[in-house]
Amino acid sequence: MEASEEMGLSSLLSSPGRDFLISSDGSQIGIGELEGKTIGLYFSANWNTQCESFTPVLADVYNQLKADKSPFEVVYVSSDEDQRSFDRFHGLMPWLAVPFSDLQCKKSLTQRFQIEAVPSLIMFDPNGETLQMEGVEIVYRYGARAFPFTCARIEELEAEERVKHESQTLETLLSTNGRSYVISHSGQVPIRSLEGKTIGLYFSAHHCPPCLKFTSKLVSIYNNLKSKNDNNKEFEIIFVSADRNKEAYTECYKAMPWLTLPYEKETSKALLKYFHVLGIPSLIILSPDGKTITKDGRYLINLYADMAYPFTEERIRFLQERLDEEAKAYPRSVNHVNHRHELNLVSEGSGGGPFICCECDEQGLGWEYQCLECGYEIHPRCIKEEATTQKIDE
């Protein structure tokens, strides 16, 4: 939706009796100061972990553009619980905000731009015309290079990106600042020695509970694959840390039997951006020639375990066809002991899709049992496990 269709962006940001925004130190800044600038409307909240993660990323981009004297401004539209929470969170931001007390303005903006989840970042050109609705993804992918966020600029960056990915090798991905090795628990491992192997780049962090849970599963998968002679020399995982400090990184790596990049924040940030990793844990699978096979390694591990190896399209197609065949024997609907409504069997093609299982908290893809009334979703295998447990208890 274009803001200028009915009224200008400045009008949307003001209210009767208020023609200013506030800075993080509480100063009032006239809305007229936005004139001639590219504007990002940032819908966010202190209680949301994704907002907490994205805000410093956006702040880095904002500060870079300010240092370059680019005509850019961000306006925070808060979904915080109270004034104190707003003040704390806005205090971490170098940009302006709609006052927390102006609930009607915030509500109008949220409804006008159909904001259903945070963080959300909408970009506008100096005339108030909508440039991008997916500003969060664009900032994660391209950073300050995306300015002025026009479609033409994004197309240029996408073209550059395609060229990079086409020429991608393990060496170009992982080597930096004269470093041409990764690390094992016993020492340095030359990156060139990994060429010809299927590689999993595992983005994780010690402070992330889902990461700790998935790491445990991935360790089991890794050890299973390594125990098979034909796979022993052909598969490896490399930990890419998203930890906040080296101590957390060291603690996180203790639980991992595979390789790791040294703790280098800039290298990790560059890889997160390069692969468009918006959340962790994430497992990117690279082919033996260093090209990207899939960014959905976590989904595939959760769905197929070690059978997913070597993660190629042909292998996944085979497994999917086998799963579809098995699903023919599943009951079309079930009554699960941990849910009060009847659950219906769905697939990606019939209303399903990527989901988080409400029973085991793991990601799922493909067939699932779903409650359309309340959004409850569960793996078919979790239904079986519950049914088996129930029979034993009885």
Side-chain angles (χ1 to χ4, degrees), residues 1 41-45 51 77-79 106-124 132-136:
M1 178 185 297
L41 272 192
Y42 181 39
F43 297 83
S44 186
C51 293
V77 183
S78 161
S79 293
K106 294 189 295 180
K107 181 179 179 180
S108 296
L109 289 167
T110 299
Q111 291 177 342
R112 183 177 184 82
F113 296 107
Q114 301 176 17
I115 304 301
E116 298 180 352
V118 291
S120 183
L121 179 64
I122 304 176
M123 298 296 189
F124 301 87
Q132 306 291 339
M133 294 295 291
E134 303 297 333
V136 171

Side-chain angles (χ1 to χ4, degrees), residues 19 243 299 329:
D19 61 355
D243 288 295
Y299 283 121

Side-chain angles (χ1 to χ4, degrees), residues 208-222:
C208 165
C211 294
L212 300 179
K213 186 171 184 178
F214 183 69
T215 295
S216 177
K217 173 179 285 190
L218 190 57
V219 167
S220 177
I221 302 298
Y222 178 84

